[in-house]
Amino acid sequence: MEVAHLADGGAPLLGEPPSIELGNTTYAVRGRRKDGLRSVEHLAAWLRDMRPRLAITLTDADIQGVTDGDLRLARELRDVVRALADAAVNDREPEPDVVATLNRHAGQTPRWRELRTTPEPHATVRAAGRPVAAALAALAEDAVDLFAGPLRGQLSACHGPGCVLYFVRDTGRREWCSSGCGNRARAARHYAKVRREPEA
């Protein structure tokens, strides 16, 4: 499989926690919802782009070996993350089946840390089974930590026009996932104000 740069695929990467980045593979362009995981190639490209931030090291061969089963698991996990994010930002209790699905994903592949001594002492994460499946399970574990920890209270939905992304607020005043959404929101407010002024 060729994992080239996909101009019409993938999803925006905003520097959010990895599980939120996965949730944000459902995004919008000009108010139209897009699926950044439409194909095995899209998932492979997303994993390639996220590789430095994943808990499991993925080689080029691992990424080229992404399967339809991996795509199904990634989409299901993405939908669970989005459902949990929606519940968190709307201060609702998540649905029990959503929580059960996340926990099932987190337990898919055993992972452990090992000591490596070259080139200098460091820890590395190892996993049983296929590395891509282990990376998806680690993303589920990242979501468990996020939704069970203090970041849950800082999670927000973007208020940009037509945006469907989530982000972790690093300041109390942040309203948008990116400066682009902030600019669009300010432009929309300005346009609405200019349209109202002649009527006044």
Side-chain angles (χ1 to χ4, degrees):
M1 167 182 60
E2 179 67 27
V3 184
H5 174 69
L6 298 168
D8 66 338
L13 295 179
L14 303 173
E16 298 300 326
S19 56
I20 297 300
E21 295 281 20
L22 178 63
N24 284 343
T25 60
T26 292
Y27 62 103
V29 175
R30 294 183 185 91
R32 289 185 175 186
R33 198 170 279 241
K34 300 283 187 178
D35 183 352
L37 300 179
R38 288 192 318 266
S39 68
V40 167
E41 291 79 14
H42 285 107
L43 174 58
W46 185 82
L47 288 168
R48 178 203 60 211
D49 294 344
M50 283 292 294
R51 186 168 22 194
R53 299 180 51 212
L54 296 174
I56 303 296
T57 301
L58 297 179
T59 66
D60 289 343
D62 297 331
I63 290 173
Q64 291 171 351
V66 170
T67 67
D68 287 331
D70 296 328
L71 179 61
R72 182 186 53 75
L73 289 173
R75 285 177 175 165
E76 183 179 54
L77 180 56
R78 178 210 30 217
D79 295 345
V80 163
V81 167
R82 290 190 64 80
L84 289 166
D86 182 63
V89 301
N90 290 299
D91 202 24
R92 286 191 331 264
E93 193 70 29
E95 296 293 327
D97 61 324
V98 170
V99 174
T101 302
L102 176 64
N103 291 335
R104 180 174 46 80
H105 276 273
Q108 286 295 109
T109 305
R111 291 173 305 288
W112 62 94
R113 293 166 51 83
E114 288 185 350
L115 175 65
R116 296 286 183 249
T117 56
T118 57
E120 59 187 53
H122 67 281
T124 187
V125 177
R126 299 271 306 184
R130 294 180 53 252
V132 170
L136 292 173
L139 283 165
E141 193 173 301
D142 179 73
V144 168
D145 291 341
L146 187 140
F147 291 110
L151 289 182
R152 181 183 189 276
Q154 297 172 349
L155 194 62
S156 184
C158 183
H159 296 307
C163 189
V164 297
L165 299 183
Y166 293 97
F167 64 94
V168 175
R169 274 181 273 123
D170 46 6
T171 67
R173 297 182 61 193
R174 185 175 172 196
E175 297 179 49
W176 305 291
C177 66
S178 65
S179 58
C181 273
N183 291 341
R184 283 188 289 282
R186 286 187 284 276
R189 281 198 302 255
H190 174 74
Y191 181 71
K193 180 182 175 189
V194 168
R195 290 194 63 198
R196 281 193 307 268
E197 284 176 355
E199 297 169 5

